[in-house]
Amino acid sequence: MSFHTPSDPRNNSIMARARNFLRRLVSAHPSITDAVDIRRAELLSMISLFTGLVLVAAVLFQPARYTVFLALTVIALTTYVFGRTSRPWIGAYLFTYLFTTIGLVSVFQGTAESIEASIAYTALASFLISSVLLSGRGFLGLIFISIASLFIIPFFFLVPGLGMDVLVRSGGLILVAGAMLFGGNIFRDNLEKEKNRETNNINQDLENAKGILEQRLHASALELKEAAGQSEERTNRLQILSEISQEIATHISQNPKDYLTHIARMISEKLGYYHVGIFMIDENQEHAVLRAANSKGGQQMLARRHQLKVGGAGIVGYVSQSGRPRIALDTGVDAVFFNNPDLPETRSEIAIPLKYGPSIIGVLDVQSNKPSAFKAEDGITLETLANQIAIAISSQQTGGPAEPLPFSKSISRRGGSHLGQRQAHPGYSFSPDGTLTNATPGNNPITNKALASGETVILDPSPKGIVPALAVPVKLRDQVIGVIHIEAADPKRKWSEDELALVQAISERAALALENARLFENATRRAEQEETIARVTTKIGSSTDFNHILQTTIQELGQALGVSRSFIQLKTPSNNDQVRPPGNFHDAAGKG
């Protein structure tokens, strides 16, 4: 069993304060930043402080040598003071050179017990310390001065027992010790340089990695900012498109001139374009005639009944014939662009055909006073608006829908030999696995609420396990004709404003597309009816036989309407009149 005795926090605090005190005593000057210089300055302060304390004790215990120890103490303390300044190298030279000088002076004065002892205890100690504190040149200088001093001594002082053999042994000892320490110093410096080189390389690599990381972070931040800007731009575009679509559908009852002018001004104001013009193809399909414009130059063109030949000069002429959109990003270099003096500020232009089915009924012309003003997103937006304008114009020309958009049934001819009534399916459902199935109307509360109120209904996540859902009404000219119902796969999903705006925009496009399909279907049906009437009339008129006329009439009607049995009967003028048969029958097999 082992026991652990917790340490006393007070002891830890005292030790920590002691370490901090010692660290402050030997710390280098703040102006010194190089790691090697910091270590040398701290080492110099430690050695000089320790040496000074030892010499103070020596003065107290050996007063006979008071002078020497006091001089050395002064040198040590002076060195310590320089070690704490921004020039610690001065203290290093003072310490090493003066200590060596004191040892040699003791030799000169004959106070040392022997020359070898003086060298061993003073000079060699100074060499050892100087090899750590001094540079290579300073250390070599100390060695040469020490050797030279030994050989100069006999010429100035008469020292007993100082023979040539002692000088040679002392000089050799200094030389060998100095060479060893100098070699070690060089080896240490090389290791230090190599270490510094590796550290610098590592630091450089870290700086490079940091720079690359910062560049990537900056690039990512720019990409995120750009993506956020694009997302906001798309949201604003969808909102503007929704507002313009609503205006197009709401003001369809206006007279054609005011209606087209309102559309042109609205597109210019909402999307910020310099000029918006709406051209309509004339009855002879020869000219595109300007019917509406928002700009001052456009009003001047309207006043003189401006028109362009279909397929002629200019972007509008090209689009009115080809039926394909055309963009001039720089009107100064586009060969198709027609320079219009009424619109001198135009720098870029886009023209979108107004198409109803396969027919080109007009051109939407949009111009900007900025070069390269139209992007791909602008083309898609304007093309969507052009389709809605074409549908609205066709609705006005046909008198508008006589009844609400038939969501449940429609009459059409689909490749058969008769006219019939087709029951449209009430709806469709899309599953996450990609399957598309028929959907039957159900008693769904949020769907019923959306149909009744004409407003979007949002069902948020609930702790009761209710699946989050959206119900967006499909409206045409403020009349609800259907509903889009969406359920989330995640029971905790919350619908964002962008998702809601997307569904509402698609709902508006779907309503316009359904209206377009209804108008096209009505036109096809009327054409088929006229064709059937003309065909039956031709067959009836080609015969002069009374019975054959009746048989042809009832047979063609039966085939056209697709009924199981048809009957025709003429009123008999009198009971005695037997000229005409009472009637003819036609069954589903076509026999009369």
Side-chain angles (χ1 to χ4, degrees), residues 36 88 116 207 216 371 408 420 453 462:
V36 176
E116 288 88 351
E207 287 294 328
R216 291 180 179 177
S408 60
S453 64
S462 171

Side-chain angles (χ1 to χ4, degrees), residues 422-439:
R422 175 177 60 85
Q423 185 75 18
H425 200 278
Y428 295 93
S429 175
F430 176 77
S431 302
D433 58 0
T435 58
L436 191 66
T437 58
N438 295 332

Side-chain angles (χ1 to χ4, degrees), residues 532-552:
T532 301
I533 292 171
R535 186 180 69 253
V536 174
T537 301
T538 301
K539 289 187 177 182
I540 293 174
S542 63
S543 176
T544 57
D545 181 72
F546 188 82
N547 289 327
H548 187 266
I549 291 174
L550 294 178
Q551 293 174 1
T552 301

Side-chain angles (χ1 to χ4, degrees), residues 66-214:
Y66 174 82
T67 305
V68 176
F69 287 149
L70 182 61
L72 293 176
T73 301
V74 173
I75 294 172
L77 294 178
T78 305
T79 301
Y80 173 76
V81 172
F82 276 105
R84 300 297 306 278
T85 65
S86 60
R87 295 178 176 83
W89 56 270
I90 297 177
Y93 276 96
L94 286 175
F95 187 81
T96 55
Y97 276 66
L98 289 179
F99 261 76
T100 304
T101 302
I102 294 297
L104 295 176
V105 167
S106 64
V107 174
F108 300 157
Q109 294 177 348
T111 57
E113 297 178 359
S114 67
I115 295 178
E116 288 88 351
S118 180
I119 294 174
Y121 295 126
T122 305
L124 293 183
S126 298
F127 289 171
L128 182 62
I129 295 173
S130 63
S131 66
V132 178
L133 299 179
L134 296 180
S135 63
R137 292 180 180 179
F139 183 61
L140 285 177
L142 181 62
I143 293 173
F144 286 124
I145 290 174
S146 299
I147 295 174
S149 298
L150 287 176
F151 287 98
I152 293 174
I153 286 173
F155 297 98
F156 295 94
F157 294 92
L158 181 60
V159 180
L162 184 61
M164 185 59 64
D165 57 340
V166 175
L167 294 176
V168 172
R169 285 198 306 270
S170 299
L173 180 60
I174 292 175
L175 184 61
V176 171
M180 293 178 62
L181 291 175
F182 183 73
N185 197 17
I186 293 177
F187 180 73
R188 185 200 64 199
D189 290 343
N190 290 335
L191 288 179
E192 195 73 29
K193 290 180 180 179
E194 185 65 26
K195 183 179 178 180
N196 291 337
R197 188 182 299 109
E198 292 178 358
T199 303
N200 292 334
N201 291 337
I202 293 174
N203 292 336
Q204 186 63 40
D205 293 340
L206 290 175
E207 287 294 328
N208 294 337
K210 179 182 177 182
I212 294 173
L213 182 60
E214 290 178 349

Side-chain angles (χ1 to χ4, degrees), residues 139-403:
F139 183 61
L140 285 177
L142 181 62
I143 293 173
F144 286 124
I145 290 174
S146 299
I147 295 174
S149 298
L150 287 176
F151 287 98
I152 293 174
I153 286 173
F155 297 98
F156 295 94
F157 294 92
L158 181 60
V159 180
L162 184 61
M164 185 59 64
D165 57 340
V166 175
L167 294 176
V168 172
R169 285 198 306 270
S170 299
L173 180 60
I174 292 175
L175 184 61
V176 171
M180 293 178 62
L181 291 175
F182 183 73
N185 197 17
I186 293 177
F187 180 73
R188 185 200 64 199
D189 290 343
N190 290 335
L191 288 179
E192 195 73 29
K193 290 180 180 179
E194 185 65 26
K195 183 179 178 180
N196 291 337
R197 188 182 299 109
E198 292 178 358
T199 303
N200 292 334
N201 291 337
I202 293 174
N203 292 336
Q204 186 63 40
D205 293 340
L206 290 175
E207 287 294 328
N208 294 337
K210 179 182 177 182
I212 294 173
L213 182 60
E214 290 178 349
Q215 291 178 358
R216 291 180 179 177
L217 289 175
H218 182 66
S220 299
L222 291 179
E223 290 177 0
L224 289 175
K225 184 177 180 180
E226 183 179 358
Q230 291 177 352
S231 177
E232 183 178 359
E233 184 179 354
R234 284 195 296 269
T235 302
N236 294 336
R237 187 179 298 275
L238 285 174
Q239 182 64 29
I240 292 174
L241 191 57
S242 175
E243 293 174 0
I244 297 177
S245 301
Q246 189 68 27
E247 289 288 324
I248 292 175
T250 303
H251 294 81
I252 195 171
S253 58
Q254 289 182 326
N255 67 74
K257 180 180 178 181
D258 294 340
Y259 182 58
L260 295 180
T261 302
H262 177 71
I263 292 175
R265 288 177 178 173
M266 185 170 46
I267 293 175
S268 174
E269 292 173 359
K270 295 287 185 180
L271 298 178
Y273 292 125
Y274 159 61
H275 168 80
V276 177
I278 299 177
F279 289 80
M280 300 300 299
I281 306 299
D282 62 8
E283 296 180 356
N284 298 326
Q285 303 291 312
E286 293 181 355
H287 293 88
V289 183
L290 182 64
R291 297 299 186 188
N294 72 295
S295 63
K296 182 179 179 180
Q299 297 301 316
Q300 297 173 355
M301 295 159 63
L302 284 171
R304 68 169 187 270
R305 299 180 181 180
H306 178 71
Q307 63 182 15
L308 296 171
K309 186 174 181 59
V310 173
I315 293 178
V316 173
Y318 171 84
V319 172
S320 62
Q321 182 184 53
S322 66
R324 295 190 298 271
R326 177 64 189 260
I327 300 178
L329 295 178
D330 188 352
T331 56
V333 298
D334 196 298
V336 180
F337 173 74
F338 173 73
N339 188 14
N340 191 335
D342 293 313
L343 303 171
E345 298 181 22
T346 299
R347 294 296 177 269
S348 54
E349 180 181 5
I350 182 172
I352 309 291
L354 303 178
K355 300 175 70 174
Y356 183 72
S359 303
I360 303 173
I361 64 174
V363 176
L364 173 64
D365 180 47
V366 181
Q367 301 182 23
S368 174
N369 53 9
K370 300 177 181 178
S372 303
F374 300 102
K375 302 177 183 178
E377 295 83 357
D378 300 313
I380 295 173
T381 300
L382 292 174
E383 192 168 357
T384 302
L385 292 176
N387 292 334
Q388 296 175 14
I389 294 171
I391 294 171
I393 292 173
S394 299
S395 298
Q396 282 193 335
Q397 290 177 349
T398 57
E403 57 186 14

